[in-house]
Every structure is written in C-alpha cells, then in structure tokens.
C-alpha cells in the first residue's frame, strides 16, 4: 500500500470535498427544475382537460337544443327526409353520452315507423345488392382487365418492333462494311490474277475489273434503303480502257 505525505493527502481531500459539494448543488438545481417541469405539465394537462370539458358541454347544449325539435309535431309536419336523417344521425352520435339524445333516438324511430311505415330493421340492415348491380360491377371489372391486357400486349409489340428495327439497321451496317472492305477487294483480285495470269495484260484486266466493281457495285445498305429500284449501270470503264490499250499495242 503506497503512502503519501500529509500535505498531499490534505490537498486531495479538499479538492474531493469541493467536487462533492458542487455535485450536490448541481443535483439539487436539476431536481428543482424537474419538479417545476412536472408541475407545469400537470397544470397544462388540467387546463387542457377543463378546455375539453367546457367544449363538450357547449356541444352537448347545442345538441340538446337541436334534438328538442323532434318532440314537437310541428317538426314532423314540415320536416323533409333529409331533416329527419340529420336529426337521427345526431341522436345516434350522442345516445351513449347523453340521455336526451338516447330519448330523441327512440322518438325518431317511433315517428318514422308511424308516419312512414319503416321499421328500424329496414333501414339498419344493409340492402341486398341486386343482380343488375352485381352484373354491372362484374362487367366493369372484366373491361378493366381487358384494357390492362391490351395495353400490356401493345407495349410488347412496340418493344418487339423496336428490337427488329435495331437488328435490321445493325445487319445493314455490317453488310455494308463487309461489301466495302479491303479484304473483299483483295480476295477478288487474287481470284482474278489466278484466272488472267500474272502478266501485264492480266494485271491490267484485274485493275479494270476492280475499278468496275467499285463504280457499278451496289452495297447492301443502298439496296435495303431503296427497295424496288434497280441501280442504273454505268459505262464499263474497264472494258474501254482495255480496248484503248489493245489499239495502242
């Protein structure tokens, strides 16, 4: 166990004592604040409860004055069906909270049965749906499903057409690149050299044929973009050049 000088121990004790005193005062201040907050909440809740009670009493007074009319024959002699329905709705709303409203509800039900021949069961039981209403609802549901299916199919067709057009454009572009490529012309030149022979006349004939292919050939892209039109053949430059060389020899 370590030991400390008396002066050091006394200083630490004083510091700790001061910290504990500060903590006590802070805790007491927070406790008072919390108590005040709780008291304010209770007061606010009481005030809110009083406000709600006053509002409830005011609305009940208005309701009682309104439903008092159903106890007089003058109301029933001049009331329209909508007036009776409004009074009945108000009576049902308040019947579980006020005896006046409960009595008014019974009064309305009695007068409606006596004056209009309608019992409580007749207007409290939901009416059965007729066959025409059910058939109309079924037809509407079928029409909505058909509309949704048609829209789905139309979207699929449009998407398919777009893919087909994109595929056609790609094929035309690839065919054009193959037609105009140097590899095709080189292969054609090799085949012609084997046919005419590696002689000056043969090389001239091959050059003329390649030139004619370049001038007169119709690439696939042009053929696809202009269907039904036959390209007009140009003058065979290769044959004319070969005839001129033959006459010069």
């Amino acid at each position: 166990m370590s030991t400390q000088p008396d002066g050091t121990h006394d200083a630490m004790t004083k510091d700790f004592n001061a910290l504990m005193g500060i903590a006590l005062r802070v805790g007491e201040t927070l406790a008072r604040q919390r108590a005040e907050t709780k008291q304010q909440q209770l007061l606010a809740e009481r005030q809110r409860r009083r406000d709600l009670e006053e509002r409830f009493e005011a609305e009940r007074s208005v309701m009682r004055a309104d439903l008092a009319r159903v106890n007089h024959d003058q109301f029933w002699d001049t009331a329209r069906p909508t007036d009776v329905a409004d009074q009945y709705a108000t009576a049902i709303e308040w019947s579980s909270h006020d005896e006046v409203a409960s009595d008014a509800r019974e009064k309305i039900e009695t007068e409606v049965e006596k004056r209009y021949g309608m019992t409580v069961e007749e207007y409290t039981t939901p009416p059965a749906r007729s066959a025409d209403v059910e058939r109309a609802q079924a037809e509407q549901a079928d029409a909505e499903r058909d509309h949704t299916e048609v829209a789905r199919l139309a979207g699929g067709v449009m998407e398919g057409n777009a893919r087909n057009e994109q595929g056609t454009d790609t094929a035309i572009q690839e065919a054009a690149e193959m037609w105009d490529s140097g590899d095709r012309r080189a292969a054609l030149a090799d085949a012609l050299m084997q046919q005419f022979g590696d002689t000056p006349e043969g090389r001239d004939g091959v050059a003329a044929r390649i030139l004619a292919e370049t001038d007169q050939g119709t690439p696939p892209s042009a053929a696809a973009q202009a269907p039904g039109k036959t390209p007009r053949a140009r003058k065979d430059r290769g044959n004319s050049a070969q005839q001129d060389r033959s006459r010069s020899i």
Side-chain angles (χ1 to χ4, degrees):
M1 181 175 180
S2 63
T3 59
Q4 297 177 347
D6 294 339
T8 303
H9 183 270
D10 293 340
M12 292 181 60
T13 301
K14 291 180 180 179
D15 292 340
F16 184 62
N17 187 26
L19 289 174
M20 294 299 291
I22 293 173
L24 175 63
R25 288 188 291 274
V26 170
E28 290 176 347
T29 301
L30 294 177
R32 286 193 299 270
Q33 293 178 353
R34 185 172 297 277
E36 292 174 358
T37 301
K38 183 64 175 178
Q39 184 66 22
Q40 291 175 358
Q41 291 176 349
L42 291 176
L43 293 175
E45 186 66 24
R46 291 173 184 173
Q47 182 62 38
R48 180 174 177 271
R49 187 182 300 113
R50 284 195 296 268
D51 293 341
L52 292 176
E53 290 175 354
E54 292 176 357
R55 179 180 176 182
F56 179 84
E57 292 298 331
E59 292 178 351
R60 182 160 63 176
S61 298
V62 173
M63 176 272 300
R64 286 180 173 181
D66 190 25
L67 290 181
R69 297 184 298 165
V70 302
N71 296 316
H72 302 284
D73 291 338
Q74 184 180 0
F75 169 80
W76 293 101
D77 293 339
T78 59
R80 297 169 299 179
T82 54
D83 297 331
V84 176
D86 291 341
Q87 295 294 89
Y88 190 55
T90 302
I92 292 177
E93 177 187 358
W94 286 89
S95 60
S96 60
H97 305 286
D98 188 81
E99 293 181 358
V100 173
S102 180
D103 295 339
R105 176 178 179 175
E106 294 178 1
K107 176 66 174 179
I108 293 171
E109 292 173 351
T110 302
E111 291 293 331
V112 167
E113 183 176 0
K114 181 176 67 175
R115 293 173 181 268
Y116 301 98
M118 297 172 57
T119 62
V120 177
E121 291 76 11
E122 290 179 347
Y123 52 83
T124 56
T125 303
R129 294 189 303 175
S130 63
D132 294 337
V133 173
E134 293 181 353
R135 182 167 55 254
Q137 292 178 348
E139 291 177 355
Q140 182 178 1
D142 293 340
E144 292 177 354
R145 286 194 297 270
D146 293 342
H147 178 75
T148 302
E149 182 66 15
V150 169
R152 186 185 66 81
L153 294 176
V157 171
M158 295 178 63
E159 183 179 358
N161 291 338
R163 288 198 300 267
N164 292 336
E165 292 178 358
Q166 183 178 4
T168 302
D169 295 340
T170 303
I172 292 174
Q173 183 178 0
E174 292 177 353
E177 292 176 354
M178 291 180 62
W179 175 266
D180 298 330
S181 63
D183 294 338
R184 185 193 66 83
R185 291 190 294 271
L188 179 61
D190 292 340
L192 293 176
M193 287 295 295
Q194 294 178 3
Q195 180 178 356
F196 294 115
D198 189 8
T199 61
E201 293 79 4
R203 286 192 293 273
D204 291 341
V206 170
R209 179 64 181 276
I210 295 298
L211 180 61
E213 287 284 338
T214 304
D215 290 343
Q216 296 184 9
T218 302
S221 59
Q225 294 174 359
K229 294 184 179 180
T230 303
R232 181 179 299 175
R234 299 182 181 180
K235 185 176 180 181
D236 192 349
R237 297 179 182 177
N239 293 335
S240 298
Q242 187 175 2
Q243 291 176 2
D244 292 339
R245 284 192 296 271
S246 299
R247 284 196 298 270
S248 62
I249 293 173

